[in-house]
Amino acid sequence: MASDTDRRNLPPLELYVPEPKFRPGDEADFSDIVVPPAGETRRPDMADHHEDMPDLAYGLVRVLDDEGKAVGPWDPKLDPDTLRKMLRAMALTRAYDQRMFRAQRQGKTSFYMKCTGEEAVAIAATFALDRDDMTFPSYRQQGILIARDWSLVDMMNQVYSNKKDRLMGRQLPIMYSTKQGAFFSISGNLATQYPQAVGWAMASAAKGDTRIAATWTGEGSSAEGDFHSACTFAAVYKAPVIMNVVNNQWAISSFSGFAGGDQTTFAARAVGYGIAGLRVDGNDALAVYAATQWAAERARTNNGPTLIEHFTYRAEGHSTSDDPSQYRSADEAAEWPLGDPIARLKNHLIALGEWSEERQAEMDKEVAEQVKTAAKQAEKNGILGHGLHQPLETMFEGVFEEMPWHLKEQMQDMLDENEAANNVAKTR
């Protein structure tokens, strides 16, 4: 046992506290970020053992180069029609976000979260999945539903929590859910979807099904215990699941360093668990598609799970309740070295001779009008402040198959009190 005398020449211990590189007023400089040339990262066979691919957790899968050309072994060689559909879904998602953001500012709903700059993470991945593969998103993957041609009106009904809201006002406005869309209920509790996705995937395998699961979470949520429990189960049982970590650099006021981003990549967490790990340019729709396609084939052929880190940037606030100017540099989004996902896919189509700036402008107008029309239809079903949209008794429904006696009593007490209050109001 060492004595105090033995330690007198040692420096005092220090605690490392992560600090963001830039704060408000600073000039953003991302020159320290290593962005390898597009096409440089190797593409292993999807059946390769995870021990043979640790380098992929530290590199960056990229397909689109600076001229908008698709290069290298990860090029999925998508046909122009598929690329245009993907581009439209991304543009539609951005238009939808803009409309719902304005709706919140107008007092029509209480809360909203945009995915500006991250559209490829959800949409390109969804294009690479089968329609009935189960998705377990976080609260910034509304693009999954849009990529699956889900009704914008239905989504808006959920944002407005109105009388046509399939969730009957029981969720926050952006926490969509639809079984028919293979879209699991979003939760505000961070990373809960990870063990749910792994459990669903294990059940699918146990039943001998062919469907796989995919889940998404932010890099900050990867510090939650649920994330690590899910990785353990996925690794042990080779669950057919794709686990996406969206590294958009920022949580609501804290940067990625607080979740370990200062020390290593988030994809590197796969290495310790014995899982295949890929680090992908999250603003490159073709890279996201290719990585998801590779991981999906790996899962479907019983070669186990894949953890994909999408290296991207949250271009706007965390939510309508957030002011990013209070904690990060004002020019970070403009200086982000990987560009904008919509612009990059647009430029790729133009480079192929399959698109033009004029067609892009025309499409942007079309999707904006589509969103506007859907909003008017949804608002007819009610918005915030337009009274009670659901019967009071629905608060007690949907939990038990048969409502227990004590809830029946509580419900009746509530209805009686409400009736009494209404009678008093009528006599005034």
Side-chain angles (χ1 to χ4, degrees):
M1 182 174 181
S3 66
D4 291 341
T5 304
D6 296 330
R7 291 180 173 156
R8 63 188 174 188
N9 292 325
L10 293 177
L13 296 174
E14 295 180 356
L15 185 67
Y16 172 71
V17 179
E19 282 288 338
K21 291 180 289 187
F22 326 115
R23 284 295 192 183
D26 294 339
E27 183 177 336
D29 179 7
F30 292 108
S31 59
D32 61 317
I33 293 178
V34 178
V35 180
E40 181 179 85
T41 303
R42 70 183 183 92
R43 185 185 187 278
D45 185 85
M46 61 83 196
D48 282 0
H49 196 271
H50 65 87
E51 290 182 349
D52 298 327
M53 56 182 82
D55 56 305
L56 298 175
Y58 298 94
L60 196 66
V61 175
R62 302 182 68 224
V63 173
L64 293 175
D65 66 14
D66 294 340
E67 284 72 47
K69 296 179 181 178
V71 297
W74 286 94
D75 178 10
K77 301 187 185 307
L78 297 176
D79 62 87
D81 283 342
T82 299
L83 292 171
R84 280 188 286 264
K85 289 177 183 176
M86 195 183 300
L87 180 64
R88 185 181 183 88
M90 291 167 67
L92 181 57
T93 300
R94 187 165 292 184
Y96 174 85
D97 275 356
Q98 291 169 347
R99 187 82 187 189
M100 291 296 94
F101 181 89
R102 290 199 301 271
Q104 192 277 336
R105 292 300 193 237
Q106 293 166 351
K108 295 177 180 179
T109 186
S110 60
F111 184 75
Y112 193 74
M113 301 181 81
K114 300 170 78 173
C115 65
T116 307
E118 302 175 40
E119 291 89 354
V121 169
I123 291 165
T126 303
F127 269 77
L129 296 170
D130 285 352
R131 178 61 179 75
D132 58 353
D133 287 334
M134 194 66 183
T135 58
F136 293 77
S138 69
Y139 40 59
R140 219 179 296 277
Q141 280 80 54
Q142 53 268 46
I144 296 172
L145 289 172
I146 291 175
R148 286 179 168 173
D149 295 320
W150 199 254
S151 164
L152 295 181
V153 175
D154 183 69
M155 294 174 66
M156 291 175 178
N157 287 337
Q158 295 184 47
V159 171
Y160 292 135
S161 300
N162 59 30
K163 64 183 180 182
K164 292 291 186 178
D165 175 12
R166 63 172 59 235
L167 303 180
M168 306 176 76
R170 295 169 179 166
Q171 281 274 46
L172 276 171
I174 44 80
M175 295 185 180
Y176 313 96
S177 176
T178 164
K179 184 177 181 180
Q180 299 92 330
F183 189 97
F184 197 81
S185 304
I186 297 174
S187 172
N189 298 315
L190 301 181
T192 56
Q193 67 273 24
Y194 252 61
Q196 292 163 347
V198 173
W200 190 96
M202 290 171 61
S204 183
K207 292 187 297 184
D209 204 339
T210 58
R211 295 176 296 166
I212 65 172
T215 184
W216 289 256
T217 197
E219 87 285 344
S221 300
S222 70
E224 294 284 335
D226 289 29
F227 172 89
H228 296 280
S229 296
C231 287
T232 298
F233 274 84
V236 170
Y237 295 101
K238 288 191 174 183
V241 62
I242 304 170
M243 299 183 288
N244 298 282
V245 176
V246 185
N247 179 10
N248 64 13
Q249 313 306 312
W250 286 96
I252 192 164
S253 294
S254 59
F255 80 117
S256 60
F258 284 108
D262 270 5
Q263 311 302 320
T264 187
T265 69
F266 290 96
R269 295 186 175 178
V271 178
Y273 281 106
I275 295 172
L278 300 175
R279 188 166 176 262
V280 177
D281 178 349
N283 289 17
D284 180 342
L286 296 191
V288 173
Y289 181 100
T292 305
Q293 183 185 51
W294 183 91
E297 186 177 358
R298 184 176 178 86
R300 280 188 228 284
T301 53
N302 296 308
N303 283 290
T306 303
L307 176 65
I308 303 176
E309 175 190 347
H310 301 269
F311 194 60
T312 182
Y313 186 81
R314 170 167 62 76
E316 299 193 19
H318 185 268
S319 72
T320 49
S321 302
D322 179 37
D323 179 6
S325 69
Q326 297 298 307
Y327 57 82
R328 71 183 190 186
S329 171
D331 61 348
E332 278 193 25
E335 294 298 321
W336 182 245
L338 297 178
D340 177 85
I342 294 178
R344 290 177 67 185
L345 184 55
K346 175 198 71 176
N347 291 338
H348 174 56
L349 273 163
I350 292 174
L352 292 175
E354 295 287 347
W355 200 241
S356 66
E357 293 288 356
E358 292 74 23
R359 293 177 71 179
Q360 179 72 28
E362 182 181 349
M363 184 185 71
D364 287 340
K365 289 181 181 178
E366 288 176 0
V367 296
E369 189 61 34
Q370 181 182 348
V371 170
K372 180 180 178 181
T373 301
K376 288 182 177 180
Q377 186 176 343
E379 287 171 15
K380 290 178 182 178
N381 299 321
I383 59 174
L384 184 67
H386 282 195
L388 189 67
H389 296 303
Q390 303 291 339
L392 282 173
E393 56 267 30
T394 59
M395 285 197 297
F396 294 85
E397 298 173 355
V399 179
F400 297 95
E401 186 175 0
E402 277 192 36
M403 191 183 300
W405 65 269
H406 67 286
L407 287 186
K408 289 180 180 179
E409 286 189 359
Q410 289 179 31
M411 181 176 70
Q412 192 57 53
D413 288 344
M414 177 195 67
L415 294 174
D416 292 344
E417 289 183 14
N418 185 63
E419 184 179 4
N422 288 336
N423 290 335
V424 170
K426 290 177 183 177
T427 60
R428 290 178 178 173

